Amino acid sequence: MSASGSGPARGSRGALWLLIQVNTRQAWRRLLAVQEQSRLLTALIGGFMAGYLALAFFLFYKGLRFAGTFPGLGQVLVERMLFLLFAFLFVLLLLSNLVISYTNLFRNRETLFLLPLPVPAQTIFQWKFIESTLLASWAFLFLVAPLLAAYGLTQDVPWHFYPLTVALLGLFLVLPAAAGAWAAVHVARRLDRRAFQVVALASVALMIAASAMWFKPEPFPEEQIETRVLVVLDRLLFKTRFAQFPWLPSYWLSAGVQQWAEGALTAAAFFALVLLSHVLFFGSLLFTRMGERFYLAASAAQSRGSVLERWGWFRAWQTRQRNLACRRGLVERCFAWLPGVAVDVRALLVKDVLVFWRDTTQWGQTLVLFGLLGVYILNLRHFTQNLTTPFWIYLVSYLNLAACSLNLATLTTRFVYPQFSLEGKRLWIVGMAPLGLPRVLLTKFALASGTSLVLTLGLIQLSCHILHLAWERTLYLSAAVVVMTFTLNGLAVGLGALYPNLKEDNPSKIVSGFGGTFCLVLSFLYILGSVVLLAMGSPWTRRGAPPPWLAASCWTGFALLSVALGWAPLKLGLRRAARFEH
Amino acid sequence: MIELIHLVKNFGEIVAVNDVSLTVPVGEFFALLGPNAAGKTTTIKLIAGLVKPASGCARVAGFDVQTHPLEARQRLAYVPDFPFLYDKLTPWEFLRFTGQLFRMDEERLERVAGELIQRFNLEPYLGKPIEGLSHGTRQRVAIASALLHAPEVFVLDEPMVGLDPHHARVLKDILKERSQQGMTIFVSTHQLSVAEEMADRIGIMHEGRLIAVGTREELREQSGTAGALEQSFLSLTAQEARQREAAAAAEA
């Protein structure tokens, strides 16, 4: 028998059932606690979800209708979009399952608690696999539900299409989950956490770069401008052929859904059976053969130094770092150049920058979000010669402003909002220093705003440059994004101090509380309101400059909104910090 | 009984546990001491089967934790320095959950849980979620749940952290009592007073090696010091460090 205890799995089913029960009870109580803690939060989350579902359904419905009416090619386009969407979602699910399984299997305290108990490693793996699948897949279901409802409605399908689709989705989800969990176990045996993060980020960056290259639009000569739609469609269909590769599980799902919608029930049943057979095969392998591998990987994950240490250059670099450890680091030397910054404030800035840099999650997510936006804006240059009408230029410039701000709102809520709560656990250091908590808060605000500005202002400048906007329009949009950056950071810092969670060490758990959700919703509402007001008050609308009273009202509205959602929360947060009892 | 036979564990190039051999007989209270990064926690993890040794083996109640893990774990209880508890459960629910994982029958589970609850003074907290309990109370819940299935071997990493003097006393009494009833107890601690007061034998680890094992008096003799355990401990670890330095210098 092996160390995993995968031999005589005594009562393993009972143990699995116990684990499911106890974790379900935990999850249910968490939900109840949220509801009891704040009805407003429950209403906010409920409203937000319902709003998303309704809006997504509406947009998918309109989009599918629009694509379906394309002369001669409507059905082909709709079909290809469906295959493409599921193919991309399959890759995303694969990555998300890999990351979540890795964390859940090897960096989870429940796993460490269970390993010394008389529970077979196979059972622990089974439970963690179920948990990881649920964690990685719920958002997928939330995302595709309105699409499939809209697809069903546009195709005028019978009622049984909907339950069958749910069943197909359920089967489909198991495959990326199984592949992700299997990969996570093998990755954990060979890579430590940091190496894994670096490899994962490099893979994502490579995929983004490859996609950007593959989907790069090609310019058209003037003489083809009239017939370009057909050429574009032809190229598009060619470049997206990979989504119909018959060995992709997403192909079986898409084909099953499509065939059922068209009434070809036998063909749909065939694809459903293909999915089912793969799920049963890989599922049974995973449920019966992974215990030993999981145990060995868990042991390796807990008992190794960095895998990078096998390389001489890394060891030499570490030795050099150790020798330099007692000297001032690069970040500190850079900040020393900042004039007029007190030593204590500088120390706080250096600490925050180092923490950000050493947390791969933080800079990784920032890089991915803004990297994607950068790739998109850079690709706009291929369209600019087709963006000939002022209306499209006007629309795209404001859409870019909205996209940039939405990205920023995601990051401020995820990383800036929990800053005060995270500091809360270290209040014995920062809170007791003569610096004072309000100045700590202001320093965090300044650092977050300064860093964000480099990204948002840079992207907006790039967008204006690529859209060939005149300098006064560039100035208008740049001023807008500067105000929005300060407001979003002020909101996150202020609400972070107003709704602190000092018990929690995990930033994602801090964000999922009332304050974090409130911050995200307010940020989104602010962006929506601001972009609408700025677009309406813009002197360069399709119909020319708006009447002076309208422009003035819009700008005043934008300023008031920014004060109410940026300055006011920050002010309240500072007041709270000044009176903070710890 | 715990048997460690030529146990070795490496973390990359660092040897965390270096050829450790030790037998802790049935009913003995054994305390493992050592400076930080001496390899105490890794040794405990090897006993608990959390990590696989590079070579050698660890046996609990006669069962190799690598080849017969379920049999070994059925007879083992392990409480780490910061134990994991399900925050949204109440102590009562957590105790029941642990007992069920060890496949205790209902009647025995309720009886033993009742005794432990009383002993650890947990009645006022039974219906409250664990997330709201103080560190000391959580520690008591963890230890009570570990004792529930009457393990033959009890392994604890820094068990007194967070306990107030009253409950530290209660825990010491329970451990002593269980040890007298035949439970093998293996404690890793930095609190020399705990080892001095409770342990039948004491082991001292330094840089992965078990440099000294014996009763309080035997350690005093080995170190050539008189007086408190602290002096023996400091002297033995300093001697070992000097020997290492001399060996390294000779090699160089």
Side-chain angles (χ1 to χ4, degrees), chain A residues 365-415:
Chain A
Q365 286 188 12
T366 309
L367 202 70
V368 167
L369 278 175
F370 279 93
L372 279 173
L373 198 61
V375 168
Y376 149 73
I377 288 178
L378 275 174
N379 268 331
L380 271 180
R381 70 181 184 277
H382 303 292
F383 292 109
T384 44
Q385 54 190 309
N386 302 327
L387 288 173
T388 44
T389 62
F391 170 72
W392 283 110
I393 292 177
Y394 170 78
L395 187 72
V396 170
S397 64
Y398 282 97
L399 282 179
N400 287 354
L401 179 68
C404 192
S405 316
L406 285 170
N407 264 1
L408 180 65
T410 314
L411 292 175
T412 52
T413 307
R414 176 68 180 80
F415 300 126

Side-chain angles (χ1 to χ4, degrees), chain A residues 128-207:
Chain A
K128 287 287 153 191
F129 169 66
I130 294 170
E131 194 182 30
S132 307
T133 307
L134 292 174
L135 284 171
S137 312
W138 70 268
F140 166 82
L141 289 175
F142 191 57
L143 198 74
V144 298
L147 167 77
L148 288 171
Y151 178 73
L153 215 62
T154 54
Q155 301 293 311
D156 203 17
V157 295
W159 66 270
H160 44 78
F161 168 82
Y162 298 101
L164 177 98
T165 309
V166 172
L168 285 177
L169 280 175
L171 290 175
F172 169 72
L173 289 176
V174 178
L175 294 175
W182 178 86
V185 167
H186 287 85
V187 161
R189 278 186 79 172
R190 284 160 187 89
L191 298 179
D192 63 3
R193 183 170 170 250
R194 195 160 177 88
F196 170 61
Q197 285 174 333
V198 172
V199 170
L201 273 173
S203 312
V204 170
L206 207 69
M207 277 167 58

Side-chain angles (χ1 to χ4, degrees), chain A residues 51-65 146-147 149-150 154:
Chain A
Y52 161 76
L53 288 174
L55 185 69
F57 173 77
F58 174 75
L59 291 175
F60 281 133
Y61 182 74
K62 287 280 176 194
L64 288 171
R65 271 272 148 112
L147 167 77
T154 54

Side-chain angles (χ1 to χ4, degrees), chain A residues 4 34 96 114 116 234 247 267 329 334 357 415 438 445 491 495 550:
Chain A
S4 59
V34 170
S96 132
L114 293 172
D234 187 48
W247 285 99
C334 289
W357 172 242
F415 300 126
F445 171 69
L491 182 67
L495 287 184
L550 181 61

